Amino acid sequence: MGMAKDELPLAPIVFIDSGEPALAERAVDQLKRRARQADPETDITSIDPTSYSAGELDMLTTPSLFGEPRMIIIDQVQQLNTALQNDLLRYISAPEADVNLVVVKHKGTRGKKVYDALKTAKVPTASFKEVKTAAEKSRLVMSEVRAHHRRMTESAVGALIDALGSDMRELLAGTRQLLADIDGTIDKDHVDTYFAGRIEANGFNVADAVIAGNVGKAIELSRHAIATNASPVAIVSAIAMRLRTMAQVMGARSNAFDMKIPMAPWAADRARRDLRAWSANGLALAIRAIAQADADVKGASRDPGYALERGILEIGRARRVK
């Protein structure tokens, strides 16, 4: 079973099995910092698994005359060649005590013998799944905030995800920037001040406008987003996500039983506010319209931009259905 990232120790071998590159990078950075904190003279080197030459690992791990600590990082190990696989299998059975070897695997199955050997050797392991949903992104931001013993409001987390949530590296970097520059609790105003311009580059503000019934503004923003390299597919996805969240909340609200909604609290609260202006029939029509728009922008229409705008107009009409 994988360890939490904050439990990863400095050890002769550490394995990071990651479906989310940003989390793997963060874990590696944490290990680097710990190594340098333990000894500022730690020599950190990287091995390219695709151009590896036989014997390179042995050369880097052979005890040196001065005995300085060393860290060796093998990123993208799933791309390893045969020479590296053979050398790793030998090394895993007898690692050097004064070397920290960090093996990082991303998506891919190549190198199964190495992963099996690491598991058999019971090396410290961190496993990260790909971050997809708003709830997962919210947990990621809050884990970073808590790691710094700080507080961030739910509305601030939501605004940050709206601004940067399509790229986990940017989301983490944005969180760290806020933590570094702002004292005390981080609120939505702080996020808006720092990242409002970034929201213009994606579809979340288009979704805000169309859900609120401001169709003209939604079309204007969609054209601006496309002009600044946002894709119609991404904009449709942002609108669809909002509509799905509203449908989940409406379903839970109408259920006679106490249903726990599987989403971040801020997202559920926003959906409840959105639903005040929507009927069940109108929401059903909007979901049908966005499903058609999704098919159109992914190839069913020769003009994705027009298909997006037609979807926005249909959702606007659906909002008025009682």
Side-chain angles (χ1 to χ4, degrees):
M1 183 175 178
M3 316 177 75
K5 60 186 175 299
D6 293 326
E7 297 173 355
L8 263 182
L10 286 175
I13 304 176
V14 172
F15 181 43
I16 298 171
D17 184 2
S18 178
E20 185 58 66
L23 297 182
E25 290 168 11
R26 181 169 69 165
V28 170
D29 287 343
Q30 288 173 339
L31 288 168
K32 287 180 179 178
R33 284 197 300 272
R34 289 177 191 170
R36 288 269 164 81
Q37 286 167 358
D39 191 326
E41 300 301 316
T42 298
D43 180 40
I44 300 177
T45 58
S46 297
I47 287 177
D48 182 345
T50 61
S51 60
Y52 178 85
S53 299
E56 188 177 344
L57 182 61
D58 290 340
M59 180 181 68
L60 291 171
T61 58
T62 298
S64 67
L65 181 63
F66 300 103
E68 73 278 3
R70 285 157 291 167
M71 174 174 281
I72 300 165
I73 299 166
I74 306 176
D75 195 12
Q76 302 286 352
V77 73
Q78 76 281 357
Q79 298 179 5
L80 83 177
N81 58 25
T82 301
L84 178 55
Q85 176 169 288
N86 292 338
D87 284 0
L88 268 174
L89 290 172
R90 282 194 298 271
Y91 186 80
I92 291 167
S93 64
E96 292 291 338
D98 64 344
V99 174
N100 301 126
L101 176 64
V102 181
V103 179
V104 186
K105 172 186 176 293
H106 298 273
K107 292 179 181 178
T109 57
R110 189 175 180 184
K112 185 178 183 301
K113 289 182 180 179
V114 170
Y115 313 141
D116 289 345
L118 291 167
K119 184 177 180 179
T120 299
K122 297 181 179 180
V123 305
T125 300
S127 299
F128 302 114
K129 293 181 179 179
E130 184 178 3
V131 178
K132 295 180 178 179
T133 68
E136 290 168 344
K137 294 171 185 178
S138 180
R139 286 193 291 270
L140 174 61
V141 171
M142 289 311 300
S143 70
E144 189 75 14
V145 172
R146 282 192 293 269
H148 289 79
H149 308 290
R150 298 285 300 282
R151 291 189 67 252
M152 188 173 188
T153 66
E154 288 183 3
S155 60
V157 174
L160 185 63
I161 291 170
D162 281 352
L164 305 176
S166 61
D167 187 312
M168 293 306 99
R169 290 185 180 91
E170 290 194 358
L171 184 60
L172 283 171
T175 305
R176 294 188 199 109
Q177 181 178 342
L178 291 167
L179 290 167
D181 293 351
I182 295 168
D183 294 325
T185 299
I186 299 168
D187 61 27
K188 186 175 182 296
D189 288 342
H190 294 129
V191 178
D192 289 344
T193 298
Y194 272 74
F195 302 112
R198 294 301 303 277
I199 296 175
E200 296 297 322
N202 62 44
F204 290 103
N205 59 346
V206 180
D208 285 341
V210 73
I211 296 299
N214 195 339
V215 172
K217 183 68 172 176
I219 288 176
E220 176 190 341
L221 289 170
S222 71
R223 290 173 179 173
H224 172 72
I226 291 171
T228 53
N229 298 321
S231 72
V233 172
I235 298 170
V236 167
S237 177
I239 299 170
M241 183 173 67
R242 288 287 290 277
L243 291 170
R244 282 196 301 269
T245 301
M246 290 164 64
Q248 282 182 285
V249 170
M250 181 178 281
R253 190 172 65 185
S254 62
N255 194 299
F257 300 98
D258 181 20
M259 289 181 62
K260 184 175 172 135
I261 304 172
M263 66 182 68
W266 62 265
D269 289 342
R270 183 173 63 181
R272 291 186 188 99
R273 292 193 299 270
D274 291 338
L275 283 168
R276 291 170 189 163
W278 284 79
S279 68
N281 287 337
L283 183 58
L285 289 171
I287 290 172
R288 190 177 307 162
I290 202 64
Q292 182 61 54
D294 184 66
D296 289 342
V297 299
K298 288 179 178 175
S301 170
R302 286 182 292 182
D303 189 341
Y306 172 75
L308 169 61
E309 292 186 14
R310 183 175 59 193
I312 290 172
L313 288 168
E314 291 181 6
I315 293 168
R317 286 193 286 269
R319 189 177 184 272
R320 297 192 294 271
V321 171
K322 301 301 181 186

